[in-house]
Amino acid sequence: MSETVALHAQAGPRRCAVARWLAPGLALLGAVLVLLGLGVGSTGLESLWPLLRGAARGSAEGAMAWQIVWDIRLPRTLGAWAAGALLGLAGAVAQGLFRNPLADPYLLGSASGASLGVAAALALMGGAGGMLGASGTAAVVSVYSGHWLVRLGLTGAAFVGAVAAVLLTLVLARGVQHTLRLLLAGVVVGVVLGACTSLILLLSPDSLQAMQGFLLGSTGFVGWTSCLLLLAVWLPCLGAAWGLSRSLDALALGEATAHSLGLPLAPLRAALVAVLALATGTAVAQTGLIAFVGLAAPHLVRAVVSVPHGRLMLLASLMGGALLAGADLLARGLLAPQELPVGVLTAVLGGGYLLWLMHRRTAPGGLL
């Protein structure tokens, strides 16, 4: 018994040290992944040689290298990190709000709403704009004069659909007073809107190929505008989640305990749902449906260290950014010059990790 107590006493300081260095470590990992992203693509490191040799930006060789690195690879990698950070943050908020470690950012129907919005927009455009390409590279194709208009329409439709689905969930749940009712309403909205999406695609088969790109997820569309938008939404969402973290700590003890502490549960839930909807809707609108990042990021943090919700929000966000940035590098580099859908890669890796975690916890001597 004395040896067990001594081991626990030694584990305490070690966990504190890990918690102290985990955030800087994840931030450094994200920076390294962004730098690596400058050299990963269909042309590999060859695009960097002119810049490393000091080729003038005004020369043909230097201009091409600068365009590939600055206008394509850098915003894409930064955007992938920012989208992953939003999904990781949304996953931590969802798991704290519903007090369920299996909750993910799409639980309130935002994914189904975004899919319905994109499917409706593609059907209205006759399937002319979409994500095409046998190599997996995202491209916008349109019969209209400005392809950026198609991209803006699809992005706006995805965001509006995601937010509208969350609002519909709130209406069906009659507000945010009951967490279980909110959860069930989200499941119902997700199923119904998913069926509506399938019906639209059945009636508009020309949209199927374009819709597949959105459902599989892609960071190929992310440019500087999308990247800055993702970062601009991430900062206030992280600040709001940090400010509400103590309420989540109290809510983890039970609704009765949180109510006895004098917390206004309804306004707090409404604020958390708003953060969840904004973070998820923004990420989905820019990158499509990317699975398991929001679910796995908080689990990975908890596997390393146990922290209150305030630090969990930050760590899960940084972890989500590193996960999606790393998955994007693998998607671009594994079969280069071809490209894998990043959503497929995150689903395989994230699902495999969660299955391993379940196996470890249910094995003899495990946690369950």
Side-chain angles (χ1 to χ4, degrees):
M1 180 67 70
S2 60
E3 293 178 358
T4 303
V5 173
L7 288 175
H8 281 289
Q10 294 176 2
R14 282 200 300 267
R15 281 188 170 270
C16 292
V18 171
R20 188 179 303 114
W21 290 103
L22 186 57
L26 289 174
L28 180 60
L29 176 61
V32 171
L33 290 173
V34 170
L35 292 177
L36 290 176
L38 300 181
V40 178
S42 59
T43 57
L45 293 172
E46 298 174 5
S47 303
L48 293 179
W49 297 137
L51 298 181
L52 296 177
R53 291 199 309 266
R57 185 176 178 181
S59 64
E61 188 182 28
M64 179 64 70
W66 185 267
Q67 183 178 14
I68 291 175
V69 173
W70 179 258
D71 294 334
I72 298 177
R73 291 183 181 177
L74 182 57
R76 175 175 181 169
T77 309
L78 277 175
W81 184 92
L86 282 172
L87 291 175
L89 174 63
V93 170
Q95 293 176 14
L97 175 63
F98 294 107
R99 288 175 292 161
N100 188 337
L102 295 179
D104 73 345
Y106 305 146
L107 201 57
L108 295 182
S110 57
S112 299
S115 300
L116 179 59
V118 172
L122 288 172
L124 291 175
M125 292 185 293
M131 305 176 186
L132 305 176
S135 65
T137 303
V140 180
V141 180
S142 176
V143 297
Y144 302 102
S145 58
H147 67 273
W148 62 270
L149 187 61
V150 176
R151 173 59 184 153
L152 181 62
L154 294 178
T155 301
F159 181 79
V160 171
V163 174
V166 174
L167 293 178
L168 180 59
T169 299
L170 293 176
V171 171
L172 293 179
R174 298 178 184 177
V176 293
Q177 287 81 6
H178 302 284
T179 303
L180 181 59
R181 183 184 295 172
L182 187 64
L183 177 61
L184 294 176
V187 173
V188 172
V189 167
V191 172
V192 173
L193 296 186
C196 293
T197 302
S198 300
L199 179 61
I200 291 177
L201 294 177
L202 182 64
L203 297 176
S204 178
D206 293 338
S207 305
L208 282 173
Q209 189 177 8
M211 191 65 191
Q212 186 180 16
F214 177 82
L215 295 176
L216 295 178
S218 174
T219 57
F221 278 132
V222 178
W224 279 116
T225 301
S226 300
C227 178
L228 294 176
L229 176 62
L230 289 166
L231 292 172
V233 172
W234 173 64
L235 288 175
C237 284
L238 180 61
W242 183 282
L244 297 168
S245 60
R246 290 193 175 183
S247 302
L248 286 175
D249 291 335
L251 194 61
L253 302 176
E255 293 190 4
T257 303
H259 186 74
S260 66
L261 294 175
L263 294 177
L265 295 183
L268 290 175
R269 285 199 194 97
L272 289 169
V273 168
V275 172
L276 177 60
L278 181 59
T280 306
T282 304
V284 169
Q286 301 299 330
T287 60
L289 301 184
I290 295 179
F292 278 104
V293 171
L295 179 61
H299 278 278
L300 286 171
V301 172
R302 294 192 191 97
V304 177
V305 64
S306 178
V307 291
H309 279 91
R311 301 184 99 180
L312 178 64
M313 298 296 174
L314 175 62
L315 294 175
S317 186
L318 295 175
M319 182 68 76
L323 285 176
L324 189 50
D328 182 58
L329 292 182
L330 290 176
R332 283 188 272 167
L334 283 179
L335 299 179
Q338 293 185 344
E339 185 177 317
L340 292 172
V342 67
V344 173
L345 204 57
T346 58
V348 172
L349 297 178
Y353 166 73
L354 291 178
L355 288 175
W356 171 80
L357 188 63
M358 292 173 58
H359 173 73
R360 189 187 68 172
R361 292 189 172 184
T362 55
L367 297 178
L368 297 180

